[in-house]
Amino acid sequence: GQQLNQSPQSMFIQEGEDVSMNCTSSSIFNTWLWYKQEPGEGPVLLIALYKAGELTSNGRLTAQFGITRKDSFLNISASIPSDVGIYFCAGHNNAGNMLTFGGGTRLMVKP
Amino acid sequence: SQTIHQWPATLVQPVGSPLSLECTVEGTSNPNLYWYRQAAGRGLQLLFYSVGIGQISSEVPQNLSASRPQDRQFILSSKKLLLSDSGFYLCAWNPGNTIYFGEGSWLTVV
């Protein structure tokens, strides 16, 4: 089946630093999604990408849909303590009704 | 606008007791509905999904079951809980190519 490899698994950074995480797949996806999950809450959609090569920003967050449709990255600029959480990537290939999720990147920000 | 709710938010249940988690979606009709489980600090595991009333697909064999008695209601159940059923359970629905999650339900089996 399809798998998404998300890296890094965890990051511990200083406030103000930029952050980059990515997901790669052996299969093609038609949609890439990025979620953030804070402790004790459900994941919240941050950015949705629908076209290969698409670059989308949401405040300090920027995500790109890879040209090959097999990868995506998420960047966070000038991190702040409230960026702490687990970030998940997810891919959808229009076949069926399922998303494939990455394993998550746990982000910790030191004030 | 569409919203999704699940409850209870937290519960502690003894081993062998039954379980019922409920999820409802508002503002849409005939949604695809999902139950995920997340072990502490881990990724999301799809348990069940439903494309319509009475239609349930199971992704993994387990001690849990799901039912969809109404169009916008999805229930996760167990007749006898195991310690390994502890975790964070998330209901979700998808309009098109995205998924939106409920608030989550923490289950601790003791």
Side-chain angles (χ1 to χ4, degrees):
Chain A
Q2 294 177 315
Q3 291 185 344
L4 284 184
N5 297 310
Q6 184 171 350
S7 64
Q9 288 188 332
S10 62
M11 303 178 73
F12 189 78
I13 62 170
Q14 192 76 35
E15 181 178 2
E17 290 183 356
D18 296 343
V19 173
S20 184
M21 60 192 78
N22 70 84
C23 277
T24 60
S25 170
S26 57
S27 303
I28 289 174
F29 288 105
N30 294 320
T31 302
W32 281 94
L33 307 168
W34 284 94
Y35 292 84
K36 178 189 178 185
Q37 184 181 26
E38 298 191 9
E41 300 182 7
V44 173
L45 182 66
L46 298 173
I47 293 179
L49 303 159
Y50 300 108
K51 285 185 181 179
E54 180 181 356
L55 183 71
T56 298
S57 293
N58 179 3
R60 293 179 295 107
L61 276 62
T62 302
Q64 185 159 30
F65 191 146
I67 287 291
T68 65
R69 294 198 286 159
K70 292 184 178 181
D71 63 310
S72 177
F73 71 75
L74 174 71
N75 288 343
I76 305 174
S77 62
S79 59
I80 60 178
S82 61
D83 290 333
V84 164
I86 302 177
Y87 292 80
F88 290 100
C89 64
H92 190 282
N93 65 1
N94 292 347
N97 300 295
M98 251 64 69
L99 290 184
T100 302
F101 281 89
T105 295
R106 180 182 294 275
L107 177 63
M108 294 159 279
V109 179
K110 183 178 181 181
Chain B
S1 62
Q2 302 94 345
T3 57
I4 180 169
H5 297 289
Q6 62 178 105
W7 66 92
T10 306
L11 65 166
V12 180
Q13 296 283 101
V15 169
S17 65
L19 170 73
S20 181
L21 300 179
E22 189 165 343
C23 173
T24 59
V25 180
E26 300 175 358
T28 187
S29 60
N30 198 30
N32 294 326
L33 297 172
Y34 306 82
W35 278 110
Y36 286 86
R37 176 167 60 197
Q38 186 178 32
R42 306 289 295 277
L44 300 164
Q45 179 188 30
L46 179 63
L47 301 176
F48 301 95
Y49 71 94
S50 171
V51 298
I53 296 175
Q55 300 179 61
I56 309 295
S57 295
S58 175
E59 289 295 300
V60 293
Q62 58 210 314
N63 184 41
L64 304 168
S65 61
S67 61
R68 187 164 175 180
Q70 301 180 42
D71 181 44
R72 292 173 290 172
Q73 184 184 29
F74 203 24
I75 298 173
L76 183 68
S77 304
S78 174
K79 292 182 179 178
K80 289 185 178 181
L81 284 169
L82 306 172
L83 286 174
S84 57
D85 291 324
S86 294
F88 192 50
Y89 289 83
L90 289 156
C91 181
W93 75 289
N94 80 313
N97 294 342
T98 58
I99 271 190
Y100 295 95
F101 291 89
E103 308 93 330
S105 299
W106 275 110
L107 170 65
T108 303
V109 182
V110 296

